[in-house]
Amino acid sequence: MPCGQPESGAAPARYVLGVDVGSTVVKCHVYDRAAAVRGSSCKKVESLYPRPGWVELDPEVLWSQFIGVVKDTVQAAGLHMRQIAGLGISTQRGTFITWHKRTGKPFHNLISWQDLRSAELVNSWNKSLLLKVIHVICTVLHFLTGSDRYLAPSFLTFSTHQASLKLSWVFKNIREAEEAAKKNNCCFGTLDTWLLYRLTKGSVYATDYSNASSTGIFEPFTKCWNPTLCSLLSIPMSIYPPVKDTSFNFGSTDSEIFGVPIPIMAMVADQQSAMFGECCFHPGDVKLTMGTGGFWNVNTGEHLFASRGSLYPVIGWKIGEEVVYLTEGSVSDIGTAIKWAQDIGLFTNVDETAQMAQSIADSQGVCFVPDFQVSGGDPCLCASFMGLKPSTNRNHLVRAILESVAFRNKLLYDIIVKKVHIPLQTIRADGGVSNNSFVMQMTSDLINKKIEKPADADMSSLGAAFLAGLASGFWTDKEQLKKLRRIEAVFEPQKDSEEYGPAMDAWVQAMKHSLH
């Protein structure tokens, strides 16, 4: 029987769906009350590269993939759509689209967070006198008033990952969007907003605080779209969606899509969702996600924390009166580098890589510099191997790639320890690369801390399901969620971090040589 056509007398709603629309795959899991996965499905996300540095997604293809994984998952679990109590949606951050308010027709493809069309704008703004003046004024105001509302602007820097300058680019280069905005007919949406709009056939237009705070245009302290920044970037204020709680009844899917309406009970940005899925609910809790990129997130409670250049504040989630802030540091090209190594034949199965790295004593002086994209900070930095010798084999190359992940984890962790004045508690890892025992053990050794790895690495899906379950009454509170956590492995330091000193020093030198 089709999953959208429940039989009469079908069981009551006893399951929640968590969908994670990531950079490489769209995944869906259906969870029972014990948070056990009852069915899953995934489809590969196909990125488009219309010009060098540009990264886009076809909105219609992504839409059909989203619908497909939901239907396939429910069918795989042997369930009916009427048994689903709620849907939680986790999405890659900073990917956005604009469309015509009346017709719903997009003005362009989804522009990915990985897209670099704004790289020159980012560099010129970050070096501008105006930004320096903003930093000085807000630093003085923060010192005089002690108000956190001046903290984030005092550290304001632009990034190619954010939507802000790419959205400015849209209104400078896509005439239809500019004309529609003048007539108040242009809608802006990150991926969650676009999916919500499509799922409700245009009846609901909204985003949540975690997604909004990751655009670079939303002020995390005042919790509003930033009118000053929009004015500076020539972005009309009329284009933005209302911002709702993360765990919230956003409305139901149109009944024609899945056969019955399914309540949409949570929308959340992927890193914040993984944080929630890991149950990092307390100040000082730390989450390390190693997927396409690497993200360290620290729960800073009700306090904003920012640092020039390396750490930035985002809203983790808002549930009723509770607003939880996170500070975040990120690195690019973690999963990307490993996938590239597989594509060129360094190994067949990713599960082999830890064993390959452990089969040799060291990388024989080979260092891998990971930067597959032109970076906003240094357009000349590029991915490379250094220290190659006639005796270098595949094992050395694979070990060098994995070591580069652990070394970057160490650099970012040291920055967090130095700048975040909150005692760090449990460190929990997730994402595909957390399945690599070599990377996990080496990271634990380097930072001299215990790292927990959950039984399920798909924390973004679980976090979205947890948030949806709370909003629908499927689960009662966060204490209940903590009891549902399942830890698969704990990595404890086994070597003194000093033993890695020469290798890490060589890697840092290789990074410096790659600059410019």
Side-chain angles (χ1 to χ4, degrees):
M1 183 178 290
C3 56
Q5 305 295 321
E7 60 194 15
S8 59
R14 291 189 311 207
Y15 304 92
V16 289
L17 285 170
V19 185
D20 175 31
V21 186
S23 303
T24 53
V25 290
V26 183
K27 291 180 192 167
C28 181
H29 300 298
V30 61
Y31 299 91
D32 61 19
R33 286 191 196 278
V37 175
R38 294 293 297 270
S40 301
S41 177
C42 76
K43 292 184 188 290
K44 188 181 176 189
V45 172
E46 298 291 345
S47 296
L48 306 172
Y49 305 96
R51 294 191 196 176
W54 289 27
V55 188
E56 298 179 351
L57 304 169
D58 184 319
E60 291 307 316
V61 171
L62 199 67
W63 165 249
S64 66
Q65 289 179 322
F66 183 92
I67 300 306
V69 294
V70 172
K71 288 181 176 178
D72 292 350
T73 297
V74 174
Q75 205 155 23
L79 303 175
H80 302 291
M81 288 294 178
R82 208 180 291 281
Q83 292 173 266
I84 304 301
L87 166 65
I89 302 171
S90 157
T91 47
Q92 53 177 281
R93 304 174 307 176
T95 296
F96 73 93
I97 193 168
T98 62
W99 68 92
H100 197 285
K101 189 182 287 183
R102 230 170 358 89
T103 66
K105 187 183 173 197
F107 295 117
H108 51 84
N109 280 336
L110 284 152
I111 297 176
S112 168
W113 65 274
Q114 296 168 300
D115 186 280
L116 296 165
R117 72 189 68 194
S118 64
E120 286 183 17
L121 272 173
V122 166
N123 282 328
S124 62
W125 265 102
N126 286 342
K127 291 173 183 173
S128 69
L129 179 61
L130 179 57
L131 198 62
K132 290 181 173 67
V133 169
I134 291 169
H135 287 163
V136 170
I137 291 170
C138 291
T139 301
V140 170
L141 287 170
H142 181 245
F143 176 76
L144 294 175
T145 65
S147 171
D148 275 353
R149 72 172 298 169
Y150 300 113
L151 182 61
S154 69
F155 289 107
L156 174 67
T157 49
F158 292 100
S159 156
T160 55
H161 292 171
Q162 297 168 336
S164 50
L165 284 169
K166 281 179 275 203
L167 187 54
S168 178
W169 180 95
V170 163
F171 289 111
K172 285 184 174 74
N173 291 276
I174 299 176
R175 187 162 176 176
E176 294 92 336
E178 183 192 15
E179 292 298 320
K182 284 176 184 171
K183 296 172 185 171
N184 202 16
N185 270 331
C186 181
C187 293
F188 160 83
T190 41
L191 201 39
D192 58 304
T193 305
W194 169 247
L195 289 170
L196 178 67
Y197 186 82
R198 291 294 300 266
L199 287 165
T200 59
K201 293 217 169 158
S203 66
V204 184
Y205 177 53
T207 188
D208 96 293
Y209 285 93
S210 68
N211 276 293
S213 73
S214 304
T215 58
I217 325 162
F218 189 82
E219 220 297 313
F221 181 78
T222 58
K223 296 185 280 295
C224 294
W225 298 107
N226 190 325
T228 309
L229 193 56
C230 288
S231 177
L232 286 172
L233 301 180
S234 304
I235 301 171
M237 283 294 290
S238 62
I239 67 169
Y240 296 114
V243 187
K244 307 290 185 186
D245 281 11
T246 309
S247 180
F248 179 79
N249 187 346
F250 286 90
S252 293
T253 63
D254 187 277
S255 58
E256 286 184 10
I257 298 172
F258 298 117
V260 294
I262 297 177
I264 302 164
M265 304 304 281
M267 296 205 305
V268 59
D270 57 2
Q271 296 309 318
Q272 289 93 316
S273 189
M275 191 86 172
F276 203 88
E278 292 271 30
C279 297
C280 292
F281 300 143
H282 305 290
D285 282 351
V286 182
K287 183 247 350 154
L288 163 60
T289 293
M290 292 182 287
T292 305
F295 294 86
W296 284 81
N297 294 88
V298 182
N299 183 325
T300 58
E302 58 190 22
H303 299 293
L304 262 178
F305 178 85
S307 160
R308 184 156 288 123
S310 45
L311 304 175
Y312 44 91
V314 290
I315 294 173
W317 51 85
K318 183 178 182 295
I319 305 173
E321 295 302 306
E322 179 197 45
V323 180
V324 170
Y325 290 102
L326 312 178
T327 192
E328 179 173 284
S330 65
V331 292
S332 62
D333 295 325
I334 285 187
T336 317
I338 295 169
K339 176 73 172 64
W340 167 81
Q342 184 176 19
D343 289 344
I344 65 163
L346 287 185
F347 55 88
T348 309
N349 190 319
V350 74
D351 298 336
E352 304 167 35
T353 56
Q355 199 174 347
M356 289 172 76
Q358 287 156 354
S359 71
I360 49 177
D362 54 49
S363 70
Q364 219 181 52
V366 176
C367 297
F368 177 67
V369 177
D371 205 308
F372 280 90
Q373 298 188 22
V374 179
S375 76
D378 175 22
C380 300
L381 183 65
C382 59
S384 55
F385 281 104
M386 293 198 184
L388 297 173
K389 303 168 187 68
S391 57
T392 300
N393 61 34
R394 288 189 302 169
N395 292 347
H396 296 119
L397 298 177
V398 167
R399 181 169 175 127
I401 290 170
L402 300 185
E403 283 182 345
S404 77
V405 176
F407 290 150
R408 285 187 295 164
N409 281 338
K410 164 69 171 165
L411 291 180
L412 210 41
Y413 178 79
D414 285 351
I415 291 168
I416 290 167
V417 169
K418 185 178 175 184
K419 297 191 174 180
V420 178
H421 307 300
I422 296 174
L424 300 183
Q425 307 299 330
T426 317
I427 299 174
R428 293 165 182 165
D430 64 90
V433 183
S434 70
N435 292 317
N436 190 294
S437 59
F438 178 84
V439 171
M440 290 289 286
Q441 186 58 57
M442 188 170 172
T443 300
S444 173
D445 291 344
L446 284 167
I447 68 175
N448 196 32
K449 281 279 187 183
K450 180 174 81 172
I451 306 174
E452 291 179 2
K453 181 194 171 301
D456 179 6
D458 290 335
M459 282 294 120
S460 294
S461 298
L462 182 61
F466 275 172
L467 287 156
L470 288 178
S472 60
F474 189 79
W475 290 299
T476 51
D477 55 28
K478 287 188 279 194
E479 288 306 310
Q480 184 186 4
L481 299 183
K482 283 192 215 170
K483 292 171 186 168
L484 301 175
R485 281 192 76 239
R486 288 187 294 278
I487 300 168
E488 181 181 276
V490 177
F491 293 85
E492 303 207 35
Q494 292 180 357
K495 280 189 187 179
D496 192 309
S497 61
E498 294 300 315
E499 289 185 42
Y500 296 100
M504 184 153 182
D505 290 345
W507 177 80
V508 170
Q509 286 304 312
M511 290 287 283
K512 286 177 181 171
H513 285 312
S514 287
L515 293 169
H516 312 301

